[in-house]
Each structure stands twice: as structure tokens, then as C-alpha cells.
Amino acid sequence: MSSLLKVDNEIKTKVDAFRERITAEAEDLVANFFPKKLLELDHFLKEPIINIVELKEIHSDINLTVPDPILLPNLHDGLDSQNARKRKLEDGDMEDKVTGTKVFVMPGGMMKSNGNLVDLIEKVKPEIRTLIEKCNTVKMWVQLLIPRIEDGNNFGVSIQEETVAELRTVEGEAASYLDQISRYYITRAKLVSKIAKYPHVEDYRRTVTEIDEKEYISLKIIVSELRNQYVALHDMILKNIEKIKRPRSSNAEALY
């Protein structure tokens, strides 16, 4: 290899040190961090904050009062029937345009988020980020263990590739959890804006509570999935650790 490609010795030394660091870190993750983390998440799933039975407890008040209705006088009083009909036709286009209430400022200042869900989200987000980072480290470790391409004797290599694919899938799923949290905030903000503009419509207010309840249930499912992914990865790698670290047996071993 050295005759085909010249590599600076100093760079090679640094790369080898990087490989050794990744190897040591990844092996510690699989042997120690993964089982500890799955136990932590399993304990977290038993805490009261994530086991609220009555979902009304997570509701937050929407401090937007309903303004008193404005009674408009009959604009057609005093007109004969023909002129009234003509005036009604002229005003027909305006009646179809419902613009809602103009909102210049919130009566109570800034409209707060649901504090109960914000607290829970702030506890779940670091766990999602941790899973993504640790999976990336273990994935790099397994990729560095994949030997050069050869004909035959690739069963161990296929196990390595399957492990890398599983780690990549877990990374993608964890990233989607972060997207889900962002979508919750955006959806809720749009609904609150609708309430401010159309304060008389009760359905908008009910939809906000439904969105909050749905997000609470989703967060509990996310924590459960994070725990399950740690369990699955730990189990998969331990069961196949021999093939992952030594994907190909030597010719001498194959003879006996």
C-alpha cells in the first residue's frame, strides 16, 4: 500500500491515534454507556411528570378574552324596497370577506407557551441529542473495522454493514423526533394566532388543548423509543461483537 500511495508519517500517526480514540470510546459506549442509559430512561418513564393520567393537568390557560359583540345598525332603514335590494347587491362582496379582529398587541403581553410541555421537552431534547451523537461514534467505529473488499468470506462484513445500517436508521429516527418538536411549536403558534384573530371561535381553543395532549403523549412515546433503541443496539452489537471486530477468519483457522 505504501508503494502505491505515499502518506506522510506524521499524518498517518495522527490518523492512527484518532482510530484508537474512536475505538476506545465506542467500545466503552457499547459496554457501559448504553446499558446505563437504557436503565436511566426506563426510570424516567416511571416518573410522575411523564405519567399524568388526567391530561387536563397539562392544559394551559389561553389569556385571550372574548370581546363584547358589536351591534351594527340596520343600514337599510328608511330605504324603499327597490333601493334596499340594490344596496344589498352592492354590499354583497363585502359580506363575503371575513377579516377577523385586527391584533396590534396581546392584552396580557407575550402569549406564553404551555409551561408543562416546555419543561418536559427540555428534558427530552438532550436525550435525543445524546443518542444521535453516540450512535454516530459507534457507527464510525464499525465502519473503520470493515476490511478491504475481497471475493468470498464476506459473511462477517455483511454483519458489519447491517450494524452500520441499523445505527444510521436510529440516527435518522432520533433526528425526526427533533423535527416533531419544532412542528409542535409552529402548529401551536399558528393556532394561538387564529384565536387572537377570531376570539369567538371556540374550536380553535379546543384544538390547542388537543395539540398539547397529543404532544404530551408523543413525548412519552419518544422517551420509550429512545430506551428501546439503546436496548436493541446494545443487544445487537453484543451478540455479533466477534464478527464485528473480526469479520474474516484466517485461512489457518478455516482449515480446523
Side-chain angles (χ1 to χ4, degrees):
M1 178 179 175
S2 59
S3 61
L4 298 177
L5 182 65
K6 292 183 179 179
V7 180
D8 185 85
N9 289 332
E10 183 179 355
I11 295 177
K12 184 177 183 301
T13 301
K14 292 181 179 179
V15 171
D16 290 341
F18 170 77
R19 292 170 64 100
E20 291 176 2
R21 178 170 62 82
I22 290 293
T23 298
E25 185 178 348
E27 289 181 352
D28 180 68
L29 288 174
V30 174
N32 300 307
F33 183 82
F34 281 10
K36 288 180 181 178
K37 183 56 69 173
L38 71 88
L39 293 176
E40 287 179 12
L41 292 174
D42 188 61
H43 178 72
F44 182 35
L45 284 168
K46 298 175 183 178
E47 292 185 6
I49 190 175
I50 207 167
N51 286 288
I52 297 175
V53 178
E54 291 293 334
L55 294 182
K56 292 181 180 180
E57 297 179 20
I58 66 167
H59 294 173
S60 63
D61 295 332
I62 301 175
N63 297 321
L64 289 173
T65 58
V66 179
D68 295 330
I70 301 175
L71 299 177
L72 297 176
N74 190 346
L75 299 177
H76 298 151
D77 287 347
L79 297 177
D80 55 33
S81 60
Q82 183 176 359
N83 291 335
R85 190 180 302 109
K86 181 178 179 181
R87 181 66 177 272
K88 185 176 181 181
L89 292 175
E90 291 175 352
D91 295 342
D93 294 338
M94 297 300 294
E95 293 176 357
D96 294 337
K97 297 178 181 178
V98 181
T99 57
T101 304
K102 292 183 178 181
V103 181
F104 298 100
V105 64
M106 292 294 186
M110 183 179 68
M111 178 58 61
K112 298 286 187 179
S113 302
N114 187 319
N116 296 319
L117 288 177
V118 170
D119 292 342
L120 185 55
I121 287 172
E122 291 305 312
K123 291 184 178 181
V124 173
K125 280 175 64 179
E127 299 294 347
I128 298 173
R129 186 179 66 248
T130 298
L131 178 61
I132 294 174
E133 293 173 353
K134 302 310 180 185
C135 280
N136 186 268
T137 300
V138 176
K139 183 181 68 176
M140 175 59 67
W141 167 60
V142 178
Q143 287 175 324
L144 291 174
L145 290 173
I146 297 177
R148 66 181 182 182
I149 300 173
E150 293 180 358
D151 293 333
N153 197 17
N154 287 321
F155 177 70
V157 177
S158 66
I159 292 178
Q160 289 178 322
E161 293 174 345
E162 184 69 23
T163 304
V164 169
E166 182 64 22
L167 288 163
R168 186 176 289 114
T169 299
V170 170
E171 273 187 291
E173 290 180 357
S176 69
Y177 299 151
L178 295 176
D179 292 336
Q180 177 181 321
I181 292 173
S182 299
R183 288 196 302 271
Y184 159 71
Y185 281 127
I186 293 173
T187 302
R188 195 177 193 277
K190 290 180 179 179
L191 284 170
V192 172
S193 300
K194 288 286 189 180
I195 294 173
K197 192 172 184 181
Y198 303 103
H200 296 86
V201 182
E202 183 183 4
D203 286 342
Y204 284 134
R205 297 175 185 265
R206 289 188 177 275
T207 304
V208 169
T209 60
E210 293 292 333
I211 289 291
D212 288 346
E213 291 180 3
K214 178 184 175 183
E215 183 63 16
Y216 178 80
I217 295 171
S218 297
L219 287 171
K220 183 173 182 178
I221 293 174
I222 286 174
V223 176
S224 178
E225 285 297 319
L226 293 176
R227 179 202 59 187
N228 296 344
Q229 286 163 344
Y230 277 117
V231 173
L233 290 175
H234 179 69
D235 183 67
M236 178 183 185
I237 294 174
L238 281 189
K239 286 179 177 177
N240 299 283
I241 189 64
E242 184 177 352
K243 286 295 183 181
I244 290 174
K245 298 190 70 171
R246 300 182 182 85
R248 289 193 179 123
S249 58
S250 64
N251 293 332
E253 290 175 345
L255 294 175
Y256 297 97

